[in-house]
């Protein structure tokens, strides 16, 4: 499973932060790793330089082998919380989607 971390220009994405986020994604989705080819994380600061409540957004798209991709997103006050929220949602989507495939 390949993990790609993308961000808009208003987010200062350091190598350390990118590695930490990639490790969080790999840990959270480890049990699905055999069924996933790639996971793309898109981080945005919707207000740019301005501050605001829940202005950080994380959207994660998971590409399932031989299936359409699934995604989940979450907004929060920090990138870490946005990532955690979207990972929780994506785990639910993957459990549902892959569970249906196993029952079919």
């Amino acid at each position: 499973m390949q993990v790609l971390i993308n961000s808009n220009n208003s987010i200062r994405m350091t190598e350390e932060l990118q590695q930490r986020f990639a490790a969080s994604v790999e840990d959270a989705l480890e049990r699905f790793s055999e069924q996933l080819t790639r996971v793309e994380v898109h981080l945005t600061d919707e207000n740019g330089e301005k501050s605001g409540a829940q202005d950080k957004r994380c959207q994660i798209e998971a590409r399932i082998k031989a299936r359409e991709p699934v995604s989940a997103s979450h907004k929060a006050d920090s990138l870490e919380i946005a990532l955690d929220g979207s990972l929780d949602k994506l785990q639910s989507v993957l459990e549902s989607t892959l569970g249906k495939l196993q029952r079919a």
Side-chain angles (χ1 to χ4, degrees):
M1 169 179 71
Q2 180 184 21
V3 177
L4 303 172
I5 309 289
N6 303 298
S7 64
N8 67 357
N9 292 336
S10 60
I11 295 176
R12 188 170 168 267
M13 184 59 63
T14 64
E15 183 68 30
E16 185 267 331
L17 187 61
Q18 193 168 18
Q19 289 176 356
R20 190 163 38 105
F21 281 10
S24 293
V25 170
E26 289 170 358
D27 288 346
L29 303 179
E30 181 179 5
R31 67 180 177 189
F32 305 109
S33 64
E34 291 298 316
Q35 293 101 339
L36 300 177
T37 58
R38 185 171 70 203
V39 177
E40 291 188 36
V41 178
H42 301 278
L43 302 165
T44 56
D45 184 340
E46 295 187 338
N47 292 340
E49 294 294 317
K50 303 175 194 172
S51 63
Q54 297 192 350
D55 67 335
K56 309 297 188 278
R57 180 174 185 259
C58 176
Q59 179 169 358
I60 304 178
E61 180 181 276
R63 298 186 183 259
I64 303 170
K65 291 178 183 175
R67 295 281 175 203
E68 291 293 315
V70 296
S71 68
S73 65
H74 188 77
K75 289 184 180 182
D77 294 336
S78 73
L79 292 174
E80 290 82 2
I81 296 171
L83 177 67
D84 289 344
S86 60
L87 282 170
D88 288 344
K89 292 176 183 178
L90 185 62
Q91 286 173 331
S92 295
V93 170
L94 288 169
E95 286 171 3
S96 175
T97 302
L98 296 174
K100 288 177 186 175
L101 292 175
Q102 289 176 350
R103 289 188 292 270

